[in-house]
Amino acid sequence: MFKLSEIKELIKLVDQSSLQELEIQNEGSKLLIRKPNKTESVIVTSAHAAQAYATAAVPTATLQTVDHSAASAGTETASVSIVADQSHLHRIVSPMVGTFYHASSPEAGPFVKVGDKIKEKTVVCIVEAMKLMNDIVADTTGEIVEILVENGQLVEYGQPLFLVKP
């Protein structure tokens, strides 16, 4: 399985080189980085890793995931159209690097769930940075359509955390 930091480093290396495409297979996962028209495409294929990488924030890259059990040309096209369909949704992004938490404590319920209606200034999660718990508030009004990160996951500055239908 590929780590996000490894993928980012490989993207930088491909971007700085004359390579147009790089394909790597490791532990049942396959990583393909392609540079068409001076932008990068990243395709991660793995039955286990597909969802984790679909939500990762990779700078200047198009991220596409394909499940091995259904990998076909039709599946890849469907996956691209899903990403395009999400373009009208608002993204709540992390304002800092830290650890994402759905709730204020392990025994408490999550701040928001898929389907919840939110308003501006609604606390949607916590990002812990340097032992400080930072409330992350919604910057829009709407409905939570998707939670893009797992509880306890490290997040980066600008990484999308939630998709909201305005």
Side-chain angles (χ1 to χ4, degrees):
M1 188 180 305
F2 297 98
K3 295 180 182 176
L4 183 58
S5 60
E6 294 170 334
I7 293 172
K8 286 183 177 184
E9 187 63 32
L10 288 170
I11 289 171
K12 288 179 188 174
L13 291 172
V14 169
D15 191 39
Q16 295 170 355
S17 73
S18 61
L19 289 175
Q20 292 300 310
E21 184 173 301
L22 174 67
E23 183 174 337
I24 301 173
Q25 293 183 352
N26 183 18
E27 298 177 15
S29 296
K30 178 179 170 182
L31 175 70
L32 173 62
I33 303 173
R34 186 178 302 144
K35 278 198 313 191
N37 301 328
K38 295 186 180 182
T39 61
E40 301 166 12
S41 294
V42 179
I43 301 173
V44 179
T45 59
S46 168
H48 302 293
Q51 183 169 357
Y53 295 117
T55 62
V58 181
T60 69
T62 304
L63 184 63
Q64 187 178 19
T65 60
V66 181
D67 188 340
H68 271 307
S69 63
S72 68
T75 304
E76 290 180 27
T77 305
S79 137
V80 170
S81 65
I82 289 170
V83 171
D85 289 341
Q86 293 179 352
S87 64
H88 71 283
L89 299 174
H90 178 77
R91 289 176 172 78
I92 298 176
V93 298
S94 178
M96 65 191 71
V97 175
T99 305
F100 173 89
Y101 293 109
H102 284 284
S104 58
S105 68
E107 53 279 341
F111 289 108
V112 294
K113 300 181 294 287
V114 172
D116 284 357
K117 305 281 187 210
I118 60 168
K119 295 181 181 179
E120 282 190 50
K121 308 293 183 199
T122 300
V123 175
V124 293
C125 66
I126 292 176
V127 174
E128 176 188 4
M130 297 174 52
K131 303 292 181 192
L132 294 173
M133 300 297 181
N134 301 281
D135 289 346
I136 307 303
V137 295
D139 54 354
T140 189
T141 300
E143 177 183 343
I144 300 288
V145 175
E146 189 174 352
I147 300 172
L148 301 172
V149 291
E150 295 295 320
N151 196 42
Q153 179 180 335
L154 293 176
V155 295
E156 296 188 13
Y157 171 79
Q159 179 177 345
L161 305 174
F162 299 90
L163 290 179
V164 178
K165 183 169 65 175

